[in-house]
């Protein structure tokens, strides 16, 4: 599980860097300041959670079962949270109105909060 978690963490970190550079350079010409700020929020949260997954993968205080649950919450949360932000903010480029998926952004945020909560609780009660 550690290899899978750290591999996905590295991929999330890599794509966060790519999306950040894309937003800072290419999207600057097409998006409003508000849209760029929102896009940047998606990138930041993606990077924060890539680092979170690296920590999770190397943590010895958490069981494999808990790692798997937290991993799944983080990956789904990032797809919902950052993914929806990326789609919602790039409407000007894609020409597709993704407004209907706006509801998944807070669901993604809730999954991320749940992941952190599960990790906290399991470290807190750990006997190691």
């Amino acid at each position: 599980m550690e290899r899978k978690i750290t591999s996905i963490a590295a991929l999330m970190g890599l794509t966060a860097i790519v999306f950040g550079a894309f937003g800072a350079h290419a999207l600057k010409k097409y998006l409003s300041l508000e849209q760029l700020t929102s896009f940047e929020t998606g990138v930041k949260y993606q990077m924060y959670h890539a680092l979170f997954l690296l920590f999770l993968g190397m943590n010895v205080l958490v069981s494999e079962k808990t790692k798997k649950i937290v991993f799944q919450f983080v990956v789904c949360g990032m797809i919902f949270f950052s993914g929806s932000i990326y789609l919602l903010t790039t409407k000007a480029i894609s020409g597709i109105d993704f407004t209907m998926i706006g509801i998944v952004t807070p669901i993604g945020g809730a999954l991320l909060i749940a992941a952190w909560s599960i990790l906290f609780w399991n470290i807190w009660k750990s006997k190691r």
Side-chain angles (χ1 to χ4, degrees), residues 57-75:
M58 295 185 273
N59 193 304
V60 297
L61 298 174
V62 181
S63 71
E64 288 298 308
K65 180 182 174 186
T66 299
K67 283 183 180 185
K68 185 175 182 179
I69 293 167
V70 170
F71 171 73
Q72 291 170 342
F73 275 50
V74 169
V75 170

Side-chain angles (χ1 to χ4, degrees), residues 38-111:
S38 292
F39 190 89
E40 185 178 304
T41 298
V43 171
K44 284 181 191 177
Y45 275 77
Q46 182 174 334
M47 182 56 82
Y48 297 154
H49 288 86
L51 296 172
F52 175 69
L53 286 179
L54 284 175
F55 169 77
L56 178 68
M58 295 185 273
N59 193 304
V60 297
L61 298 174
V62 181
S63 71
E64 288 298 308
K65 180 182 174 186
T66 299
K67 283 183 180 185
K68 185 175 182 179
I69 293 167
V70 170
F71 171 73
Q72 291 170 342
F73 275 50
V74 169
V75 170
C76 290
M78 285 314 310
I79 291 168
F80 285 7
F81 185 80
S82 290
S84 64
I85 289 175
Y86 298 148
L87 293 174
L88 289 165
T89 57
T90 56
K91 176 186 171 187
I93 296 170
S94 69
I96 302 170
D97 185 6
F98 289 105
T99 307
M100 69 276 188
I101 68 160
I103 188 67
V104 302
T105 309
I107 294 170
L111 288 169

